[in-house]
Amino acid sequence: MGRVIAIANQKGGVGKTTTSINLAACLAEAGKKVLLIDCDPQGNATSGLGIDKDHLENTIYELLVDECGIRQAMRAVDGAENLTVLPSNVNLAGAEVELLELDEKEYILRNAVDYIRDDYDYILIDCPPSLNILTVNAMTTADSVLVPIQCEYYALEGMSQLIHTIELVQERLNPDLTMDGVVFTMYDARTNLSADVVASVRENLNTKIYNTIIPRNIRLAEAPSHGLPIHLYDSRSSGAESYRNLAREVIERKDI
Ligand SMILES: Nc1ncnc2c1ncn2[C@@H]1O[C@H](COP(=O)(O)OP(=O)(O)O)[C@@H](O)[C@H]1O
Ligand SMILES: [Mg+2]
């Protein structure tokens, strides 16, 4: 059965989407069958994989409001064998309110994903920058939550709320959910700040921390405007190497 990982942090700009796209792409490059679910109305994971998000007949929105089935909304990614996307666009912003009126509103995504879970080795969910009903749907669908932390001031801000939300979902909605761990992003080896942030998080957070640290790499920032994951945009960049290493760590993990 596929392992479902929600990539979440209610702070914006910490590297959720960059990690979702490139971890998914590197898992696929390693031969795994991967589905990336874009659960953010900004649709950055969708456009970052070269899909024209504003001209889609079916997206995660139509799926959640029961206007299409999950397979009808899924799209192959050009040039990336083994990688499929469930796309999103701004329509999803409206779903938040619409979902609140539905029965079992916390389980709508999970019920849809159950149809295709066995077809994939990994299903990654790129979460929106908030702790709303969409994030709750991602967490009820997921086996674990992976938290990207940007190597910046206030890296730990909001972390206790996020952990509290994960615990609430565990208690009330999805007892099987676990904390996958933390991955540091945008590490700048030239500054003390990045090293200080890593040290402080290691001291203060009692959770798995991936050995792979994602460096700040301009190629990672450029790739989405070309609609390409990093291994297709610049296969030998430090960004590509680091996401390959992260994929390897995820594959080799035995404890969850
Ligand atoms: N390792 C990195 N090196 C350089 N730029 C990065 C890196 N990771 C993310 N970025 C850039 O930082 C911005 C925010 O990243 P993004 O993944 O969109 O964050 P989030 O999804 O958490 O809002 C984007 O412009 C992205 O291209
Ligand atoms: Mg994002």
Side-chain angles (χ1 to χ4, degrees):
M1 203 156 72
R3 179 167 152 207
V4 185
I5 305 174
I7 297 175
N9 185 334
Q10 75 274 30
K11 280 176 109 172
V14 299
K16 289 183 291 298
T17 299
T18 305
T19 298
S20 299
I21 290 176
N22 295 306
L23 177 57
C26 290
L27 287 167
E29 189 190 31
K32 302 297 179 185
K33 280 206 77 184
V34 184
L35 172 66
L36 172 55
I37 299 179
D38 189 349
C39 202
D40 184 350
Q42 293 179 68
N44 293 339
T46 301
S47 56
L49 285 169
I51 294 168
D52 180 359
K53 65 185 174 190
D54 297 323
H55 296 94
L56 291 168
E57 197 174 330
N58 292 312
T59 67
I60 188 171
Y61 169 75
E62 281 75 17
L63 173 67
L64 294 177
V65 299
D66 205 18
E67 287 175 11
C68 75
I70 189 161
R71 286 197 178 87
Q72 283 173 283
M74 287 168 18
R75 311 267 305 215
V77 176
D78 281 347
E81 218 184 318
N82 299 328
L83 179 57
T84 305
V85 182
L86 176 58
S88 165
N89 62 24
V90 70
N91 291 344
L92 185 61
E96 236 190 277
V97 178
E98 291 175 59
L99 289 190
L100 293 177
E101 294 170 0
L102 301 180
D103 289 339
E104 296 228 319
K105 57 180 180 292
E106 298 92 350
Y107 297 109
I108 297 171
L109 183 63
R110 174 159 103 180
N111 291 337
V113 166
D114 279 346
Y115 284 102
I116 49 93
R117 206 179 274 260
D118 291 346
D119 300 345
Y120 293 90
D121 298 308
Y122 292 93
I123 300 176
L124 305 190
I125 309 177
D126 185 21
C127 291
S130 48
L131 295 173
N132 60 15
I133 188 70
L134 294 173
T135 305
V136 170
N137 264 270
M139 289 186 185
T140 57
T141 308
D143 300 306
S144 62
V145 182
L146 175 62
V147 182
I149 292 189
Q150 185 183 359
C151 296
E152 258 306 329
Y153 281 120
Y154 310 121
L156 280 169
E157 199 182 67
M159 198 55 61
S160 57
Q161 275 167 290
L162 177 59
I163 288 170
H164 181 62
T165 303
I166 295 171
E167 286 168 356
L168 278 182
V169 172
Q170 274 167 341
E171 275 167 33
R172 299 184 189 171
L173 301 168
N174 180 8
D176 298 330
L177 186 69
T178 59
M179 176 71 172
D180 192 286
V182 157
V183 59
F184 290 107
T185 64
M186 294 181 246
Y187 187 92
D188 187 344
R190 295 166 307 178
T191 68
N192 290 334
L193 176 61
S194 280
D196 290 349
V197 169
V198 169
S200 130
V201 171
R202 282 192 202 281
E203 249 171 57
N204 291 293
L205 268 193
N206 179 24
T207 186
K208 153 91 185 168
I209 294 176
Y210 279 92
N211 293 324
T212 304
I213 294 182
I214 308 300
R216 189 173 275 287
N217 173 225
I218 186 74
R219 307 303 266 171
L220 285 170
E222 291 166 356
S225 62
H226 299 267
L228 293 171
I230 192 63
H231 78 292
L232 295 180
Y233 179 62
D234 187 347
S235 181
R236 298 174 63 177
S237 60
S238 63
E241 276 311 311
S242 59
Y243 276 110
R244 276 193 195 103
N245 289 338
L246 183 63
R248 203 169 301 129
E249 262 194 86
V250 167
I251 292 168
E252 284 170 2
R253 258 187 101 168
K254 299 277 181 273
D255 56 320
I256 58 172

